[in-house]
Amino acid sequence: MSDAVFAAPSEHSSQVRYDNYGSKVASADRDQLLALCDELNVRFLRLVFIDINGMPKNIELPTSKFGDAFDGKIMFDGSSIAGYVRIEESDMLLSPDLDTFRVFPWGNPEARVAQVYCEVRRPYNKPFGGCPRAALKRVVARAESMGFKMYAGVEAEFFLFNKNEDGSCNMVTHDTGGYFDLTPSDLAERARREMVTAMEAMGIDIEAAHHEVAEGQHEIDYKYGEALRTADDLITFKFIVRNVALAHGLHATFMPKPIFGANGSGMHTHQSLFTDGKNIFHDADADYELSDVMLHYIGGLKKHARAIAAVSNPIVNSYKRLVPGYEAPISIAWSQRNRSPMIRIPDQRGMGTRAEFRMPDPACNGYLALAVQLAAGLDGIENKIDPGPPLDTNVWRLSDEERERIGLEVLPANLGEAVAELEANEVMKDALGDHIFEQFVSRKKAEWSEYVAQVSEWEIDQYIDY
């Protein structure tokens, strides 16, 4: 790729446009957006929506159809989208959230491309139970009816691999760097910087970027926000990571455990609840300065953790990460500072008081993962679920006998176990809604059945001489 494609924007580029128009876009109506598109030379508009697996889909429209798009008049065939509808009821409607309008910072400045996130609805603007974004909005609305607003931040780690001549991933890591390494060990500094530049131009507030523990593994952290905004930004984040990597001749993957014997990629999710602009997880007079609301929220996360796992760790490979020895949690416990349990409470207090849920991985559907975590926490608050005392022991070093003695429950060992827990959990079913719940469980059962029927290279190596 040329240096100009992802270079830092000049004073005449879209970065200044975002600086000038960002606050206006957040409350813009369709006529203001049409005028903005004309001013910024936007030639194409992507209407982005999400399937049940968390994969972004889009319909791209020319300038002549922007008005119809902003009015929510664009329809599409939903029968080919994972988790949507049958062929005989395939017509679906895209309802745009105008607050999410953003212009891509690359490409021809005379023919820019913009995007807007959409909810999927049925004809005549009727609700559709299979839309993941709408599912999160439902749980967020429930929290707001209880007086709470969820703020969340996610840390989606990823790997960069080299490619074969045919463009396929060759599973050779791009570098041999380790945690916080610099060039020459870390060969991805330039690519990460271009990712950060593009993310900032898309309105994502970046806090830090660095090499992670495993060879070829990286992390870029962006600022927390309201739950729906965080989930939207995660989709944009992944899109930019993959596209900048592609421009550098690399393959970016959010697969949780692509390399045997190395740390996997997690998506630690920081979360807190606010009321009237105040972080109600903090109580200066309480033990550990953690409020009863926060403790009950943690109790809900613990109670439902084994069912949450099916959504936050949704693929067979997810459970190759959740094993002892690689810094991923396996124990359903909470702790001060200690990174070995499932939930950690970072040291910061006041407005920064939060729970870090360390189980999720970046293969998940961010909308559904946040929905089930919030629903679990709200259940903990409603039912005053006691999380028990914090566990400040390094649980990775505990023997099976010690775990049993203190009653330490563990996360599911595989996708099959997790889906069985999800299927039996009414709180999770209510959070997802009947349509998504039934589709998700059915698809994951099929995925697990297909996997367990496979014969792996490991089995051949171990048993061919039997």
Side-chain angles (χ1 to χ4, degrees), residues 112-242:
R112 296 192 184 280
V113 180
Q115 73 171 19
V116 63
Y117 286 107
C118 300
E119 288 180 38
V120 177
R121 300 180 70 83
R122 292 190 182 275
Y124 307 105
N125 207 30
K126 294 180 179 178
F128 171 52
C131 176
R133 196 171 188 272
L136 176 56
K137 286 185 71 174
R138 287 196 304 270
V139 184
V140 166
R142 179 171 165 244
E144 290 177 347
S145 72
M146 297 169 63
F148 307 133
K149 179 174 290 186
M150 182 195 201
Y151 282 84
V154 297
E155 303 170 358
E157 297 167 341
F158 58 94
F159 279 85
L160 294 177
F161 290 103
N162 291 312
K163 287 188 173 185
N164 297 313
E165 290 185 4
D166 64 0
S168 60
C169 178
N170 64 14
M171 296 304 294
V172 177
T173 57
H174 178 235
D175 61 41
T176 59
Y179 200 47
F180 289 163
D181 272 356
L182 301 170
T183 303
S185 296
D186 174 11
L187 298 179
E189 282 186 350
R190 181 173 172 230
R192 282 205 312 271
R193 286 169 182 161
E194 290 171 357
M195 292 171 187
V196 167
T197 297
M199 290 172 190
E200 288 181 329
M202 292 288 284
I204 299 177
D205 188 353
I206 301 300
E207 296 186 327
H210 62 86
H211 200 289
E212 258 296 339
V213 174
E215 295 181 0
Q217 188 183 35
H218 305 273
E219 180 176 317
I220 300 173
D221 298 328
Y222 61 94
K223 189 176 180 180
Y224 70 90
E226 294 184 26
L228 188 64
R229 171 65 186 267
T230 294
D232 288 338
D233 283 349
L234 178 61
I235 298 297
T236 303
F237 174 95
K238 289 182 175 182
F239 177 83
I240 290 173
V241 167
R242 292 185 178 115

Side-chain angles (χ1 to χ4, degrees), residues 373-398:
Q373 288 172 71
L374 177 56
L378 295 179
D379 183 59
I381 294 170
E382 285 186 314
N383 292 290
K384 295 182 169 53
I385 298 174
D386 183 0
L391 183 64
D392 293 324
T393 302
N394 185 343
V395 296
W396 291 323
R397 295 180 180 176
L398 295 178

Side-chain angles (χ1 to χ4, degrees), residues 62-90:
T63 311
S64 60
K65 295 296 182 182
F66 286 5
D68 287 345
F70 293 143
D71 288 337
K73 295 180 179 179
I74 303 300
M75 302 194 74
F76 73 101
D77 177 5
S79 63
S80 297
I81 306 299
Y84 276 23
V85 292
R86 300 168 297 178
I87 191 69
E88 65 269 24
E89 52 182 9
S90 59

Side-chain angles (χ1 to χ4, degrees), residues 328-344:
I330 59 171
S331 302
I332 301 175
W334 74 283
S335 160
Q336 303 285 319
R337 307 183 185 89
N338 186 357
R339 282 174 161 80
S340 60
M342 180 185 71
I343 299 170
R344 182 178 79 95

Side-chain angles (χ1 to χ4, degrees), residues 4-6 104-113:
V5 175
F6 288 99
F104 289 108
W106 53 77
N108 181 358
E110 300 304 316
R112 296 192 184 280
V113 180

